[in-house]
Amino acid sequence: MNILAQYCGVVLMIVILFFHSTQKKVHLYSERAFMGIWRVTFASLLLDIMSMALLTYHHAFPDIVVETGCKAYVASLVWVAIFCVNYVCADIYKAQYQLYQKKLFLCGALFTVGVYILPIYMRTESTSKTYTYGPSTYLTYFLALLVLLVLGWLLYRYRDSTSARLRRVMGAWMGVWLLGAVIEFVSIQFWDDALLLVGYASAVGTFIIYLRLENPEANLDWKTGFFNQNAFLLYTGQQLFQKREFYLLCMSCSLGTSENTSSGTDEIVFKEMTRFISKISGTKVFRITENEIVFLFFDKEEEERVYRQLRSRFKKPWGKGRMHIIRPKWFSLTDTGIVNRAEDLLELFQYMLQKSIGSGEDNDYSVIDGSIIRELNQEKEVEQLLLKAMKQDWIEVFFQPIYSTEKGQFVSAEALTRIHDASGNIIPPNMFIEVAEQTGLIVKLGEMVFEKVCRFIQRENPARYGIEYIEVNLSLIQCGFDHLAEGFINIMKKYDIDPNYINLEITETASLNEKRTLLTNMKALREFGVSFSLDDFGTGHSNLNYIVEMPVDIVKFDRDMIQSYFHSEKAKYVMDAAMHMIQGMQLQIVSEGIETKEQYRVMEKLGISYIQGYYFSKPLPEREFLEFISNG
């Protein structure tokens, strides 16, 4: 019997089963469909060996037994192809997969009946050339080819909704199977020895599917042993398509800090945390990013129990000597019906994490509900509007004049960004600035605004109206951009702008978070001739050290600080002290948010150099601004 290839195929299938069964699995439809391929391929190999034995020793068995055994093998070839189509359907149809599975299996049953009805003939002229032929065998090859054509059509028809890897792997399976069939047919017809390779080719194809698509290790995070982001997307996508209710709890944390922290300590703490989480029952655990772990439940009470267990443990220190504290952020999603795709879940968690930055330890638990979805969708709309505005040049610069108490005239202005939609309606800055910063569009937007300011200075020459410089705001993201100075200097050179006309406003938060990059940019720009203001003094991380460390010429008192001056004795005392200290450092002060004549008189009496606010003017478009200062 020429069955060495079949024996090799059986060994290969046993190896696949061993590794597949000993690894942790997330339990996807595709996993079950793959095991269907494994079972029918393994059965086909055994039936191939059995049929060869029946043909070789046909004199020892009744004809009906030999014929039935041989037909069972040839029918199994059709079933191998059907189960491969079933595997692809599990990926394509998902929620309707079981319906298509029933249809496929019904077709397979009908095919099997046809194979058994038609006659089959046996050739046993030698032990090296023993095979079957006849109508039953020919029908089998025709049906198998027909099913393979259906498989190819499915892969082509749904090429946009299936992964390239799935198409490549199943294409490889088809190629291997067809190659084995061609070699087997040619050897039977023209060679002395028949090479019966179809069964072995099926085993090789199954091995390819296992390695490239169904190796459980591909769904595991190697460092923790938890399921990874890919497994999360596949599994939650499956539940969403099934419209099955489930609950998610996301824990976001990085290793805490202590005086004795080192990389070795971090590793010990990480392993201890991983071991603790691994022992929690009633949940699937996914590590979706470096610092985010998601727990999935099908029971709300289980989620609450696990959350209490986790929270209780994380209140205690970790590591040797119990010196290491980890303070996670928790995000709970109890209504997965508010999303349509698994990718939306990841986006929600990242959005909530971004929102939670700087919220403090007391606000470490958030519930994701429909309002968050609406908020996220609104920000997406704003992002799209912002992208379109930048592309269509719907960006406009308004100018708010700044009054000099010493000269008794307007000597500068603050440039403020405005965008409008297709209808010309102005979009409030608070709607798009934060989105621009979160998406990184603020760098390009800031560069566009700066260029518009330089073009305005070149075209209108505001110096003829007494305007000595224009203030331009820098966002936190811009301050941390390595090429800020290079880009701004190139723009000023392009429009031949005297850098003394430019004053860049930085914020205290920016100077704190992006200090090193900011100082490098400031040094280059100051050497070129640009001056700087410290904006929003009195808010955020207020610290007089910023004024000492930052090479600024002007300090701008925040509107809230100014308003507090008129309503609080403590605020008045603090502002008086800060003002005298700043003035003693030979720096100029701008008071923002001045709205009444009384407020202006008080600021003037205090010796404030510059006044900005609605008392004089709101921010104005270019034309109106020029008219205003020319009449002022």
Side-chain angles (χ1 to χ4, degrees):
M1 291 187 298
N2 184 16
I3 56 174
L4 181 60
Q6 284 79 352
Y7 286 148
C8 292
V10 169
V11 172
L12 187 59
M13 297 299 288
I14 292 174
V15 169
I16 294 173
L17 179 64
F18 173 78
F19 285 106
H20 190 268
S21 61
T22 55
Q23 293 169 318
K24 185 168 69 171
K25 292 173 283 295
V26 71
H27 302 303
L28 302 168
Y29 277 145
S30 64
E31 291 174 356
R32 294 197 289 270
F34 169 73
M35 286 310 298
I37 294 176
W38 185 91
R39 292 187 187 97
V40 73
T41 302
F42 188 67
S44 181
L45 281 165
L46 296 180
L47 288 171
D48 193 5
I49 294 172
M50 180 192 72
S51 67
M52 290 295 296
L54 290 172
L55 288 172
T56 303
Y57 305 107
H58 62 280
H59 297 296
F61 300 97
D63 290 345
I64 187 65
V65 173
V66 176
E67 182 177 335
T68 300
C70 290
K71 286 184 175 181
Y73 164 64
V74 295
S76 71
L77 297 177
V78 178
W79 280 100
V80 170
I82 286 175
F83 269 86
C84 283
V85 173
N86 178 64
Y87 178 78
V88 173
C89 287
D91 182 81
I92 293 174
Y93 298 111
K94 297 179 176 70
Q96 295 82 29
Y97 156 65
Q98 292 178 336
L99 174 63
Y100 284 90
Q101 184 183 56
K102 291 178 181 178
K103 293 180 179 179
L104 280 171
F105 289 173
L106 176 60
C107 290
L110 294 175
F111 291 164
T112 303
V113 171
V115 169
Y116 270 91
I117 289 176
L118 295 174
I120 191 171
Y121 307 123
M122 294 157 280
R123 178 163 292 172
T124 57
E125 57 193 45
S126 68
T127 56
S128 62
K129 204 162 187 176
T130 301
Y131 58 91
T132 59
Y133 66 99
S136 181
T137 303
Y138 300 147
L139 177 64
T140 296
Y141 281 103
F142 170 76
L143 294 176
L145 181 61
L146 179 63
V147 175
L148 289 180
L149 289 174
V150 171
L151 176 59
W153 177 83
L154 284 172
L155 294 173
Y156 177 78
R157 169 68 176 79
Y158 295 97
R159 60 190 181 278
D160 294 332
S161 59
T162 56
S163 69
R165 175 178 289 188
L166 174 70
R167 297 194 300 274
R168 286 196 300 268
V169 169
M170 297 312 297
W173 181 92
M174 292 169 61
V176 169
W177 200 89
L178 287 171
L179 180 62
V182 169
I183 293 175
E184 181 172 316
F185 177 80
V186 171
S187 68
I188 289 173
Q189 298 297 323
F190 304 106
W191 299 347
D192 293 333
D193 293 329
L195 299 178
L196 307 180
L197 296 179
V198 172
Y200 180 68
S202 297
V204 171
T206 304
F207 188 64
I208 293 172
I209 295 173
Y210 172 76
L211 285 180
R212 299 295 295 160
L213 296 175
E214 293 301 328
N215 185 350
E217 285 190 354
N219 289 326
L220 294 178
D221 176 68
W222 67 271
K223 194 170 184 180
T224 61
F226 304 151
F227 295 116
N228 58 20
Q229 185 182 112
N230 182 62
F232 176 81
L233 290 172
L234 292 172
Y235 189 71
T236 55
Q238 179 175 295
Q239 309 312 313
L240 290 171
F241 273 106
Q242 279 188 295
K243 299 189 182 304
R244 186 179 181 186
E245 188 176 31
F246 61 98
Y247 309 92
L248 296 174
L249 177 67
C250 177
M251 181 184 77
S252 176
C253 66
S254 57
L255 294 182
T257 57
S258 69
E259 293 181 359
N260 299 320
T261 296
S262 65
S263 58
T265 303
D266 287 348
E267 189 66 25
I268 292 171
V269 172
F270 184 82
K271 289 181 178 179
E272 184 180 354
M273 181 181 72
T274 300
R275 284 195 298 269
F276 173 77
I277 293 175
S278 299
K279 293 178 181 178
I280 296 177
S281 61
T283 179
K284 287 186 182 295
V285 185
F286 302 84
R287 190 184 188 199
I288 59 173
T289 68
E290 187 74 18
N291 296 321
E292 277 79 59
I293 294 173
V294 173
F295 304 84
L296 186 147
F297 310 86
F298 292 104
D299 184 89
K300 178 61 178 173
E301 293 182 358
E302 276 295 305
E303 186 213 13
E304 294 172 352
R305 178 188 67 80
V306 170
Y307 171 64
R308 289 194 298 269
Q309 186 177 351
L310 287 166
R311 193 176 182 88
S312 174
R313 177 62 187 88
F314 276 89
K315 286 182 177 180
K316 302 173 184 177
W318 303 77
K320 291 183 178 180
R322 293 294 183 256
M323 299 290 291
H324 209 106
I325 300 296
I326 302 175
R327 303 191 185 280
K329 297 282 186 181
W330 306 93
F331 308 109
S332 175
L333 178 61
T334 58
D335 181 12
T336 51
I338 63 178
V339 298
N340 298 316
R341 306 177 308 139
E343 290 79 6
D344 296 337
L345 296 170
L346 291 181
E347 189 176 21
L348 272 175
F349 289 134
Q350 292 305 308
Y351 178 71
M352 292 300 295
L353 180 63
Q354 182 68 31
K355 282 174 61 72
S356 70
I357 294 175
S359 61
E361 296 176 5
D362 295 335
N363 187 24
D364 63 354
Y365 179 85
S366 302
V367 175
I368 304 174
D369 54 21
S371 65
I372 300 296
I373 291 287
R374 290 189 293 273
E375 186 179 306
L376 177 57
N377 289 336
Q378 184 180 27
E379 289 197 5
K380 287 182 180 179
E381 291 175 4
V382 172
E383 181 182 355
Q384 292 304 310
L385 174 61
L386 186 55
L387 285 168
K388 192 169 185 179
M390 293 169 66
K391 183 178 180 180
Q392 301 290 339
D393 197 18
W394 293 344
I395 298 167
E396 193 172 351
V397 178
F398 280 32
F399 297 90
Q400 186 172 31
I402 299 175
Y403 186 81
S404 170
T405 57
E406 297 177 359
K407 297 184 178 181
Q409 66 179 52
F410 296 106
V411 296
S412 63
E414 180 178 358
L416 298 164
T417 307
R418 298 291 185 266
I419 67 172
H420 56 80
D421 57 22
S423 302
N425 299 316
I426 295 293
I427 308 300
N430 61 343
M431 285 187 61
F432 67 84
I433 292 296
E434 185 177 354
V435 174
E437 290 181 338
Q438 290 176 354
T439 58
L441 293 173
I442 193 68
V443 174
K444 179 63 177 176
L445 177 63
E447 191 173 275
M448 293 176 69
V449 168
F450 186 74
E451 184 162 0
K452 284 178 177 290
V453 170
C454 290
R455 189 185 301 128
F456 169 75
I457 294 173
Q458 181 200 55
R459 185 181 64 245
E460 303 296 343
N461 187 22
R464 59 194 169 115
Y465 302 107
I467 300 300
E468 300 171 358
Y469 62 90
I470 301 292
E471 296 181 355
V472 182
N473 285 286
L474 292 181
S475 73
L476 172 63
I477 306 300
Q478 284 177 285
C479 290
F481 182 53
D482 290 334
H483 304 292
L484 174 72
E486 179 185 355
F488 276 23
I489 289 172
N490 288 337
I491 292 172
M492 285 185 280
K493 288 180 178 179
K494 175 182 177 181
Y495 291 96
D496 193 24
I497 299 299
D498 183 346
N500 290 315
Y501 277 116
I502 301 296
N503 178 276
L504 298 177
E505 296 184 7
I506 62 172
T507 64
E508 294 171 0
T509 305
S511 61
L512 175 66
N513 295 337
E514 309 292 341
K515 186 174 178 180
R516 181 176 299 175
T517 305
L518 174 61
L519 285 171
T520 301
N521 282 320
M522 289 180 74
K523 183 177 184 294
L525 287 163
R526 284 182 67 85
E527 288 177 354
F528 189 70
V530 174
S531 61
F532 282 85
S533 298
L534 182 61
D535 195 18
D536 294 337
F537 182 77
T539 61
H541 304 81
S542 295
N543 191 322
L544 290 173
N545 283 335
Y546 298 149
I547 302 175
V548 175
E549 296 174 356
M550 293 294 111
V552 297
D553 307 286
I554 299 171
V555 177
K556 302 189 74 171
F557 282 1
D558 176 72
R559 178 187 180 279
D560 291 339
M561 183 177 182
I562 295 296
Q563 295 301 317
S564 297
Y565 180 88
F566 297 103
H567 300 96
S568 169
E569 287 297 322
K570 289 183 179 180
K572 183 177 180 180
Y573 179 83
V574 171
M575 182 172 160
D576 283 339
M579 181 188 63
H580 287 103
M581 189 176 299
I582 293 169
Q583 289 174 337
M585 298 169 66
Q586 304 301 310
L587 300 177
Q588 302 295 326
I589 297 176
V590 176
S591 287
E592 296 183 296
I594 300 302
E595 299 177 351
T596 66
K597 185 175 182 178
E598 290 73 18
Q599 291 177 349
Y600 167 72
R601 293 298 183 194
V602 171
M603 293 297 107
E604 184 182 37
K605 187 177 181 180
L606 288 172
I608 299 296
S609 307
Y610 302 101
I611 306 295
Q612 178 181 353
Y614 275 41
Y615 171 64
F616 290 110
S617 173
K618 65 181 180 180
L620 300 169
E622 287 185 9
R623 284 290 122 208
E624 294 181 28
F625 169 70
L626 291 172
E627 291 175 6
F628 179 83
I629 59 174
S630 64
N631 296 327

